Amino acid sequence: MIRVLRVVALLESLSFLVLLVGSVLKRTTGPDLVPVLGPLHGALFAALVLLVLACLQSLRWSPWFTLVMLTIGSPGAHFAVRATPTDAPL
């Protein structure tokens, strides 16, 4: 389950970065990718939240750390999941 969480966290982080680039392109050039990228990022973030909650015991995160990680979301979540010492290596 931790591996799935890692993959979703990585994909969610990447989708956040692509969404940021898409937002800049929307305002500076013509293509508007935000209507496609926004829901994709939202779905990945929702999956990330559900997986974090499902893996909470094996992650051994405190409630405050969990809240901070889910609030920070995209960039921070992947690195925190990667740094979790209680799981098996990839």
Side-chain angles (χ1 to χ4, degrees), residues 15-66:
S15 75
F16 179 69
L17 294 175
V18 172
L19 180 60
L20 288 177
V21 170
S23 295
V24 170
L25 289 176
K26 174 184 174 182
R27 283 157 180 66
T28 59
T29 64
D32 184 10
L33 302 174
V34 174
V36 175
L37 297 174
L40 177 65
H41 170 68
L44 286 169
F45 184 73
L48 177 73
V49 170
L50 292 175
L51 283 168
V52 165
L53 294 177
C55 296
L56 206 51
Q57 279 188 335
S58 60
L59 290 172
R60 296 188 204 177
W61 289 355
S62 71
W64 281 110
F65 186 77
T66 303

Side-chain angles (χ1 to χ4, degrees), residues 1-9 47-63 65-70 76-88:
M1 189 72 117
I2 295 292
R3 284 185 179 201
V4 174
L5 177 59
R6 285 182 177 174
V7 170
V8 170
L48 177 73
V49 170
L50 292 175
L51 283 168
V52 165
L53 294 177
C55 296
L56 206 51
Q57 279 188 335
S58 60
L59 290 172
R60 296 188 204 177
W61 289 355
S62 71
F65 186 77
T66 303
L67 181 65
V68 168
M69 289 314 305
L70 292 178
H78 169 68
F79 297 111
V81 171
R82 184 72 180 129
T84 302
T86 59
D87 57 351

